[in-house]
């Protein structure tokens, strides 16, 4: 008697993600999967980040994830960069961007002319962390008004990420937030997490964030060049 075995539900997703990564590497593009809860300031943070990178002559694109609407894409339109809207409502309203949406978006982007692609994932501290899209790095944005407990309430998100952008630092004088406790919770969940206190509104903390992001991209670019030379 044969017993059927259900395939890993992530098998197909991971296969597409690997294809995405191969394409990114072949084009020398550094890909950032940016996640947060709704209202943490991802779009505003992304707007300032891309403006800073553009001032350095770097070319960026965005895959904008949402269940429905183009609201965030419209906020970024003035940057005059390639933007692809990835809505999940036609696929059942998934609470995360899937590797299939990223794969489809690549056909609409000038990959040969990009240094960065930012995936702005759907606002959610749970399921986006569970899915690999082919990105080089996952980043979580945590805003001060969310409080100190989010890392311990949603540990997977903070474990999967390499950096945490602690946003809305300009509100600190107006909030009852225990920063030492927040940092303690972040370290407890992920001792290797790099934390950047920033303000997307004022630009505070951005030089360190941009320098770190550039150093990460440079390392990936060196590997891609070495692999290309070996292949030839």
């Amino acid at each position: 008697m044969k017993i059927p075995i259900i395939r890993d539900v992530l098998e197909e997703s991971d296969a597409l993600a690997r294809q995405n990564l191969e394409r990114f590497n072949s084009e020398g593009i550094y890909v950032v999967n940016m996640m947060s809860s709704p209202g943490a300031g991802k779009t505003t943070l992304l707007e300032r980040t891309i403006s800073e990178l553009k001032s350095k002559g770097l070319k960026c694109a965005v895959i904008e994830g949402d269940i429905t609407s183009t609201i965030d894409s419209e906020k970024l339109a003035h940057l005059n960069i390639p933007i692809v809207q990835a809505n999940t409502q036609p696929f059942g309203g998934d609470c995360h961007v899937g590797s299939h949406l990223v794969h489809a978006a690549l056909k609409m982007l000038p990959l040969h002319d990009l240094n960065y692609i930012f995936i702005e994932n759907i606002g959610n501290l749970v399921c986006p962390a569970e899915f690999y899209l082919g990105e080089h790095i996952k980043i979580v944005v945590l805003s001060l008004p969310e409080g100190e407990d989010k890392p311990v309430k949603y540990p997977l998100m903070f474990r999967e990420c390499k950096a945490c952008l602690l946003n809305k630092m300009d509100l600190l004088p107006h909030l009852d937030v225990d920063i030492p406790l927040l940092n303690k919770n972040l370290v407890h969940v992920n001792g290797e997490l790099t934390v950047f206190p920033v303000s997307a509104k004022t630009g505070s903390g951005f030089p360190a964030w941009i320098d770190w992001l550039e150093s990460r991209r440079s390392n990936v670019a060196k590997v891609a060049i070495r692999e290309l030379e070996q292949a030839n």
Side-chain angles (χ1 to χ4, degrees), residues 79-183:
L79 295 171
N80 294 315
I81 61 170
I83 301 173
V84 176
Q85 183 69 45
N87 287 345
T88 65
Q89 188 176 47
F91 306 96
D94 286 347
C95 58
H96 65 278
V97 173
S99 60
H100 64 292
L101 291 177
V102 173
H103 195 73
L106 300 188
K107 301 173 184 176
M108 308 175 197
L109 293 172
L111 300 181
H112 63 284
D113 196 35
L114 294 175
N115 302 113
Y116 285 95
I117 293 176
F118 292 91
I119 302 167
E120 183 173 358
N121 222 309
I122 295 171
N124 188 330
L125 283 178
V126 185
C127 60
E130 300 175 3
F131 295 89
Y132 177 51
L133 309 178
E135 73 276 10
H136 292 103
I137 194 169
K138 288 181 171 70
I139 300 294
V140 60
V141 179
L142 178 65
S143 64
L144 284 191
E146 295 176 76
E148 308 92 347
D149 58 358
K150 295 304 175 290
V152 292
K153 284 188 173 182
Y154 306 99
L156 181 64
M157 174 61 72
F158 294 87
R159 286 181 188 139
E160 288 292 315
C161 291
K162 296 295 184 184
C164 173
L165 298 176
L166 191 55
N167 194 26
K168 305 188 182 181
M169 290 299 295
D170 54 294
L171 296 179
L172 183 57
H174 312 289
L175 298 173
D176 185 19
V177 179
D178 188 335
I179 296 296
L181 177 58
L182 174 53
N183 286 326

Side-chain angles (χ1 to χ4, degrees), residues 206-226:
F206 265 74
W209 154 239
I210 296 296
D211 287 348
W212 184 85
L213 192 59
E214 265 292 83
S215 68
R216 302 283 303 201
R217 183 184 73 89
S218 296
N219 290 337
V220 167
K222 289 175 184 176
V223 172
I225 292 170
R226 190 159 56 244

Side-chain angles (χ1 to χ4, degrees), residues 34 42-64 76-83 116-120 206 209-210 213:
M34 188 171 287
K42 284 195 306 300
T43 307
T44 305
L45 194 149
L46 195 53
E47 182 179 18
R48 187 176 284 272
T49 296
I50 291 173
S51 294
E52 294 282 346
L53 293 172
K54 284 185 68 178
S55 72
K56 294 174 177 286
L58 296 163
K59 297 181 179 180
C60 307
V62 174
I63 298 174
E64 186 62 58
L76 298 174
H78 73 94
L79 295 171
N80 294 315
I81 61 170
I83 301 173
Y116 285 95
I117 293 176
F118 292 91
I119 302 167
E120 183 173 358
F206 265 74
W209 154 239
I210 296 296
L213 192 59

